[in-house]
Amino acid sequence: MADNNWYPNSWKQHSALQQPEWPDKAALEKTSKDLCIYPPLVFAGEVRSLKQHLAKVAKGEAFLLQGGDCAESFNNFSADSIRDKLKVLLQMAIILTKGLNKPVVKVGRIAGQFAKPRSSPMEVVDGVSLPSFRGESVNDPDFSKEARLPDPARLERAYFQSASTLNLLRAMTSGGYADLNQLHEWNLDFVAKSSQGQRYKELADRLSEALQFMKVMGINAANTPAIHEIEYFTSHEALILEYESALTRRDSLTGDFYDCSAHMLWIGERTRQIDGAHVEFLSGVKNPVGVKLGPTATADDILGLCDRLNPNNEPGRLTFICRFGHEKIAEALPTMLRSIDKEGREIIWSCDPMHGNTYSSPSGLKTRSINHILKEINSFFSIHQSEGTIPGGVHFELTGDNVTECVGGSLEVLEEDLKDRYETTCDPRLNAAQSLDIAFLVAETLQKNGKS
Ligand code: PEP
Ligand code: CO
């Protein structure tokens, strides 16, 4: 049932958590007005295509791979960094497609992932207290009074950086860069020598042989688009509602509203209140939506979210992205799965093994251990297997850069190495080698489960 009281700004009647205190309200209004007339970043038709793919994920016929930066940055903005993030996701997708024997739906946390919820509104360093960094579409990560002042001009800059990022991604995914004949090119230099880089190379060798055989049989990139180009989708947390509502457009074909800032949007663990502004806003747009769920989410919470966000029980519309932590998942997930299953709700269950496993290293840097990440993923799959439900996807914070932010993996990042290349402006990300480690493990686990 459509909610007749909804309109793009109806969220303003609800309480909106985690919104910045913009000091210059007139400037915010001006930016919102400008964003309202700027071109949409994505089209409704593309969003519908993603929803169709996700409907297959909901039925276990495809698998969702979502990943990218915790927070995109204005400073680390270059063709190389966009290309390298795409490479890692393409490699992971190849490993998973081959291992699972299912299509993989590729969704980047990119081209719009600029706003961050924070557990504390203030940050204290050496006795100095300043507003927390809330993502570069709001303020600057530098620790100074001026840097931390929210500035609406940043929303506009985030829009243009998203447009430019998306432009390159579209060019690369349709213009030959994602052509399966390029499989070997996606191995990043620093990964190629690692054991997982080698493993990827062997897989790429085998697939190239198969492609060669198909070419001889007359199946090639010129006559088979699936070899030459891929569908790649964008997503981010719909946090700053002024931005999201300003980019909402009515589709001329169907008359429905779409949030045209990205194909898929999600609501974070801190803003998923049933009566809150974020749920209200996303209840009225037709995009596929995700909701992050931590271990404190109750059966009532999640059934309420289904009622509000997916009243027609449409497969592919709603993804629950679970981020419990490796120690809490065994207690939290089974009861949630049962309460949803009992009611026959169409849900994609995806595993975010990052956000429940963050800890402070002895040097004070926030990190995550690959062992904990792998443990949570393993539990996620084995719980689904024993409950007879579908593990639909995975959600990672990762980068193609050779960073040292998470510990462990085949290149053995140690806690004392973290400071070497710790570049994130928010949460610690997997580097490319660690991302491949994890993709191989997921593929193996699902293969094993499928056979048993
Ligand atoms: C995030 O995805 O970066 C994030 C803040 O997640 P969560 O809402 O799960 O804490
Ligand atoms: Co994060």
Side-chain angles (χ1 to χ4, degrees):
M1 277 271 288
D3 174 359
N4 293 328
N5 297 320
W6 188 92
Y7 56 98
N9 276 317
S10 60
W11 61 269
K12 292 189 179 172
Q13 320 292 325
H14 298 249
S15 139
L17 300 187
Q18 298 281 345
Q19 302 304 287
E21 295 275 339
W22 303 102
D24 187 344
K25 298 282 186 298
L28 177 65
E29 207 167 304
K30 161 92 176 61
T31 302
S32 299
K33 275 201 179 125
D34 288 344
L35 288 170
C36 277
I37 52 170
Y38 289 166
L41 295 175
V42 302
F43 279 124
E46 297 173 319
V47 177
R48 281 193 285 272
S49 164
L50 173 59
K51 208 189 262 177
Q52 280 163 10
H53 289 299
L54 291 177
K56 295 205 172 110
V57 173
K59 305 218 169 303
E61 294 160 12
F63 191 75
L64 167 64
L65 170 65
Q66 195 172 10
D69 283 323
C70 177
E72 283 175 270
S73 135
F74 288 167
N75 285 330
N76 182 18
F77 173 44
S78 68
D80 286 0
S81 89
I82 297 166
R83 180 201 60 205
D84 291 349
K85 253 173 279 215
L86 177 66
K87 279 185 180 184
V88 179
L89 213 78
L90 290 177
Q91 285 187 294
M92 293 175 87
I94 284 291
I95 295 167
L96 292 170
T97 309
K98 176 73 179 65
L100 276 56
N101 227 354
K102 277 181 197 176
V104 170
V105 184
K106 295 165 271 296
V107 181
R109 271 179 77 115
I110 198 166
Q113 176 53 22
F114 287 99
K116 300 310 300 172
R118 302 319 300 250
S119 23
S120 164
M122 302 301 281
E123 184 182 348
V124 183
V125 176
D126 298 332
V128 180
S129 173
L130 287 175
S132 294
F133 170 58
R134 290 187 173 273
E136 294 206 29
S137 61
V138 176
N139 58 6
D140 191 279
D142 271 6
F143 194 74
S144 74
K145 203 168 156 218
E146 302 68 48
R148 291 295 169 90
L149 205 63
D151 176 3
R154 290 178 160 270
L155 291 172
E156 195 169 348
R157 184 161 169 195
Y159 165 86
F160 284 114
Q161 183 164 323
S162 301
S164 171
T165 303
L166 198 49
N167 182 53
L168 188 62
L169 287 167
R170 288 189 197 284
M172 288 194 293
T173 52
S174 64
Y177 194 81
D179 189 310
L180 284 174
N181 293 297
Q182 303 286 322
L183 278 171
H184 287 93
E185 301 303 314
W186 305 338
N187 226 354
L188 289 152
D189 288 345
F190 78 96
V191 181
K193 288 182 212 74
S194 71
S195 58
Q196 303 302 34
Q198 276 301 318
R199 220 172 142 190
Y200 174 78
K201 185 183 168 300
E202 284 156 27
L203 174 62
D205 287 345
R206 288 208 303 280
L207 294 174
S208 296
E209 266 174 39
L211 281 173
Q212 190 52 36
F213 174 74
M214 281 156 60
K215 207 186 261 173
V216 174
M217 301 300 287
I219 302 164
N220 56 43
N223 61 25
T224 311
I227 295 179
H228 187 63
E229 55 191 74
I230 59 154
E231 272 189 289
Y232 177 90
F233 300 97
T234 59
S235 69
H236 62 257
E237 177 170 351
L239 184 68
I240 307 296
L241 295 175
E242 297 283 359
Y243 180 82
E244 302 302 335
S245 52
L247 284 168
T248 296
R249 306 280 183 270
R250 195 192 274 276
D251 172 34
S252 54
L253 270 182
T254 59
D256 290 329
F257 282 101
Y258 286 83
D259 180 348
C260 294
S261 70
H263 301 106
M264 178 178 181
L265 286 313
W266 77 84
I267 302 177
E269 160 73 354
R270 295 166 188 78
T271 50
R272 58 173 170 74
Q273 302 73 27
I274 309 266
D275 310 328
H278 294 82
V279 170
E280 167 65 14
F281 172 68
L282 282 183
S283 72
V285 295
K286 291 285 177 186
N287 308 58
V289 300
V291 182
K292 294 282 203 95
L293 296 178
T296 58
T298 63
D300 279 355
D301 288 343
I302 59 178
L303 288 170
L305 286 165
C306 293
D307 290 342
R308 288 283 279 128
L309 292 170
N310 194 13
N312 300 326
N313 211 18
E314 192 189 351
R317 157 74 174 170
L318 185 56
T319 301
F320 282 145
I321 308 167
C322 307
R323 30 87 84 222
F324 302 131
H326 71 285
E327 288 170 328
K328 299 198 175 143
I329 183 169
E331 203 185 318
L333 184 58
T335 37
M336 286 190 198
L337 294 179
R338 282 172 215 155
S339 56
I340 288 290
D341 217 34
K342 207 166 61 198
E343 302 270 334
R345 305 299 178 109
E346 292 283 356
I347 289 295
I348 295 171
W349 293 98
S350 175
C351 174
D352 165 0
M354 313 297 290
H355 287 88
N357 292 312
T358 317
Y359 69 94
S360 271
S361 69
S363 65
L365 289 172
K366 263 202 290 182
T367 190
R368 291 155 174 165
S369 143
I370 299 298
N371 285 343
H372 296 163
I373 291 170
L374 292 181
K375 256 192 197 156
E376 180 158 357
I377 298 176
N378 264 327
S379 305
F380 179 79
F381 289 126
S382 62
I383 292 168
H384 274 286
Q385 207 188 16
S386 42
E387 297 295 324
T389 44
I390 296 165
V394 280
H395 181 120
F396 298 111
E397 289 186 340
L398 55 81
T399 173
D401 301 336
N402 187 11
V403 298
T404 51
E405 297 171 6
C406 292
V407 296
S410 57
L411 291 183
E412 261 309 333
V413 177
L414 305 173
E415 277 181 353
E416 48 272 34
D417 302 328
L418 289 174
K419 58 182 180 333
D420 293 353
R421 288 179 307 282
Y422 195 92
E423 292 165 15
T424 182
T425 54
C426 198
D427 289 339
R429 303 158 298 173
L430 302 169
N431 63 32
Q434 292 169 328
S435 303
L436 295 195
D437 282 333
I438 288 173
F440 277 117
L441 176 107
V442 171
E444 278 160 21
T445 313
L446 282 178
Q447 235 169 353
K448 233 185 293 156
N449 289 359
K451 281 183 192 139
S452 59

